[in-house]
Amino acid sequence: MAASRLPPGALTLKQFLRRQQVLQLYRKILRAICDVPAEADRHYLKDWAREEFRRNKDATEEDAIRMMITQGNMQLQELQRTLKLAKS
């Protein structure tokens, strides 16, 4: 069995790509929150998003991470729909 050339603690390609998906989702959520008109609501939503991502930052199980990304995307879509309705 060949030894890995990766240093200990380095991310595999799959982990790296999943991490990029999580960071991209986080950025999209923060950008969507910037469109919330009320400052108090914006502040609350930013704190909520930060806390959710911090709470789950140590997750390592692949299926759980995929599920959380899916849930996050659904919540982002719901926020975007709500903001779109509020503007019209």
Side-chain angles (χ1 to χ4, degrees):
M1 190 168 196
S4 174
R5 294 191 312 210
L6 292 174
L11 298 176
T12 65
L13 178 61
K14 189 181 254 187
Q15 290 170 330
F16 176 80
L17 293 174
R18 193 68 66 204
R19 182 176 187 273
Q20 293 307 309
Q21 283 181 312
V22 171
L23 291 174
Q24 183 180 31
L25 175 61
Y26 183 68
R27 287 185 200 108
K28 283 180 181 178
I29 289 171
L30 290 182
R31 285 186 192 116
I33 289 172
C34 287
D35 293 337
V36 173
E39 187 174 339
D41 292 339
R42 253 192 331 267
H43 183 71
Y44 171 78
L45 289 170
K46 277 185 183 179
D47 288 345
W48 168 80
R50 282 188 192 120
E51 181 56 33
E52 284 296 308
F53 278 83
R54 276 191 193 127
R55 190 165 49 93
N56 294 305
K57 75 176 186 170
D58 295 323
T60 56
E61 189 177 324
E62 186 69 25
D63 291 337
I65 294 170
R66 269 201 323 266
M67 182 195 66
M68 287 185 271
I69 290 172
T70 302
Q71 285 179 333
N73 279 318
M74 289 176 10
Q75 290 173 337
L76 173 61
Q77 289 172 355
E78 183 65 29
L79 175 61
Q80 290 170 333
R81 272 194 299 268
T82 303
L83 289 171
K84 191 174 181 180
L85 286 173
K87 287 182 181 180
S88 58

